[in-house]
Amino acid sequence: MSPASFSSQATPDQPLQLQFDDNSLLPLLFGEHDQHLARVEQQLNVSIATRGNKIAITGDPDAAAAAEQTLNALYRRLEKGMSVDRNEVDAAIRMSDSSADKPSDPPAAQPAQAKRGATQVHAEDLAIRTKRKTITPRSNRQASYIQALRDHDLVFGLGPAGTGKTYLAVAVAVEELLQGRVDRIILSRPAVEAGERLGFLPGDLREKVDPYLRPLQDALYEMLPAEQVVRRLSSGEIEVAPLAFMRGRTLSNSFVILDEAQNTTAVQMKMFLTRLGENGRMAITGDLSQVDLPKGEPSGLRDACELLTGMEGVGVVRFTDADVVRHPLVTKIVRAYEARDKNRSDRRHDGGGNAG
């Protein structure tokens, strides 16, 4: 049974009260030496007091409500036999804290599920089940992204490193393969550093493309036992290939992922998009702040998003630094770079204005 709240809103004089029915789950919920509760207090700036199976949360009403949602979500995980660690605590806080979900997209670009509440309540229902692990969304936009990957034939996932764009796409692709909804997974990346001229690199074909495609293979090994990855790669059920190898193909009954798509040209992107075949699905991921194309060459990812956003059957989810789910320092690093780039852009703009 889920926990029940005895007061709808905390006030300075009236803490928000919770009670949990299964006492055996409380040590896992609270964490060793109550470290999970301390994390919630620290991140949401609330005070939490416990007495038996009852919890009192004191603080700003919105923050107390977010703490309540966090603890309820973690308790539901434990009821379902899932683990709770610091990463899951941070994820639950992120999912419940409305400040982490300020949409940056125009309404047409955001899936309906991106609204807070729709993802909040049903996050557990969006769990991705693979052979090695069950993966749940760790931010509201991750929840929106998973839903979009399941609902649309073509999905663009845009945003900084560490937001789970590629990882979640691979996870959904593996789940679709295991459940028989697609026959193949095809993972691809543009080999920009070699200008797609892989023949200039030393070694055989595998040695040439491995440096570019290794991150995609690493994700596979997190979803499937190693022997299954090797067997499925050998049988062709899973294919890992550079973008140049997609030309002239029709990709039917396949889940196709194009990673680092910001490094495609407009011509390459059009070629890739038109490979989509019957019962085909595509996920295209990239970070438009990290374009490595030659100066003056427009990104095919930017061009495609501008052209296709709002088209029926196409989903676009834009992540921000608030969705970074790696080490907390990664969020700070991303924000530092964004701030510096913005300052440089502002200075260039001011300089141009003064010169005129």
Side-chain angles (χ1 to χ4, degrees):
M1 183 178 295
S2 296
S5 171
F6 294 112
S7 62
S8 59
Q9 191 175 47
T11 68
D13 300 322
Q14 181 65 39
L16 191 154
Q17 303 284 341
L18 293 176
Q19 179 173 317
F20 298 93
D21 293 329
D22 190 343
N23 289 347
S24 67
L25 298 180
L26 297 187
L28 301 174
L29 177 65
F30 296 171
E32 188 175 358
H33 306 302
D34 290 346
Q35 61 183 351
H36 295 163
L37 297 183
R39 185 71 174 169
V40 175
E41 289 180 317
Q42 177 188 35
Q43 294 296 309
L44 294 176
N45 194 27
V46 297
S47 295
I48 299 176
T50 63
R51 184 175 181 180
N53 65 341
K54 296 180 180 180
I55 291 180
I57 306 171
T58 305
D60 175 83
D62 289 341
E68 176 194 14
Q69 292 171 1
T70 297
L71 294 173
N72 283 346
L74 295 172
Y75 185 79
R76 285 194 296 269
R77 282 185 63 87
L78 293 170
E79 284 185 311
K80 295 181 178 182
M82 303 169 74
S83 64
V84 167
D85 57 19
R86 175 169 168 158
N87 289 333
E88 296 301 337
V89 173
D90 286 347
I93 292 170
R94 196 180 299 112
M95 294 286 286
S96 65
D97 185 4
S98 61
S99 66
D101 188 36
K102 296 176 181 176
S104 59
D105 313 343
Q110 279 279 47
Q113 292 81 4
K115 295 179 181 178
R116 184 172 178 261
T119 52
Q120 170 72 41
V121 175
H122 304 293
E124 294 86 356
D125 297 334
L126 295 173
I128 305 167
R129 292 171 175 81
T130 67
K131 290 287 188 181
R132 295 195 63 182
K133 58 171 61 176
T134 296
I135 299 154
T136 53
R138 292 189 169 185
S139 75
N140 285 334
R141 281 193 184 85
Q142 280 199 355
S144 299
Y145 185 52
I146 293 171
Q147 192 68 59
L149 288 167
R150 288 173 171 168
D151 291 347
H152 296 81
D153 291 336
L154 173 61
V155 176
F156 291 92
L158 313 176
T163 51
K165 307 180 301 294
T166 304
Y167 186 82
L168 292 175
V170 173
V172 171
V174 168
E175 183 182 57
E176 295 284 296
L177 180 67
L178 294 176
Q179 295 184 2
R181 289 195 283 264
V182 296
D183 297 333
R184 292 184 298 167
I185 296 173
I186 300 173
L187 309 175
S188 185
R189 267 187 168 191
V192 167
E193 294 84 351
E196 293 286 353
R197 296 182 179 89
L198 298 174
F200 286 99
L201 297 176
D204 60 20
L205 178 61
R206 185 182 183 86
E207 291 169 329
K208 292 176 193 290
V209 302
D210 261 359
Y212 305 104
L213 303 175
R214 175 56 59 183
L216 294 170
Q217 296 184 55
D218 289 344
L220 282 174
Y221 280 100
E222 288 200 37
M223 315 293 173
L224 294 168
E227 64 276 7
Q228 284 201 26
V229 175
V230 173
R231 176 171 57 80
R232 292 175 188 269
L233 284 168
S234 298
S235 69
E237 283 183 278
I238 299 177
E239 179 182 348
V240 185
L243 177 60
F245 287 33
M246 297 295 106
R247 191 174 300 278
R249 303 178 62 182
T250 300
L251 306 175
S252 303
N253 300 307
S254 304
F255 199 115
V256 191
I257 299 171
L258 176 60
D259 190 31
E260 297 290 341
Q262 75 274 7
N263 290 327
T264 62
T265 66
V267 171
Q268 288 172 327
M269 179 60 74
K270 179 182 177 183
M271 176 275 292
F272 181 79
L273 290 171
T274 54
R275 300 308 94 200
L276 186 63
E278 186 177 357
N279 193 38
R281 310 271 295 283
M282 279 187 174
I284 299 175
T285 67
D287 179 359
L288 288 171
S289 70
Q290 298 290 326
V291 178
D292 297 319
L293 292 169
K295 190 173 182 179
E297 180 77 66
S299 168
L301 177 60
R302 187 185 303 278
D303 181 61
C305 288
E306 291 174 354
L307 182 65
L308 303 179
T309 291
M311 180 180 291
E312 185 177 357
V314 177
V316 180
V317 178
R318 300 177 189 270
F319 294 91
T320 71
D321 54 33
D323 302 297
V324 173
V325 293
R326 292 180 184 169
H327 192 286
L329 191 56
V330 174
T331 302
K332 296 179 182 179
I333 291 170
V334 169
R335 288 175 176 167
Y337 274 98
E338 288 179 346
R340 186 191 67 178
D341 292 344
K342 183 178 186 301
N343 288 336
R344 286 178 175 174
S345 175
D346 290 345
R347 284 199 299 270
R348 284 196 298 269
H349 179 75
D350 292 342
N354 293 336

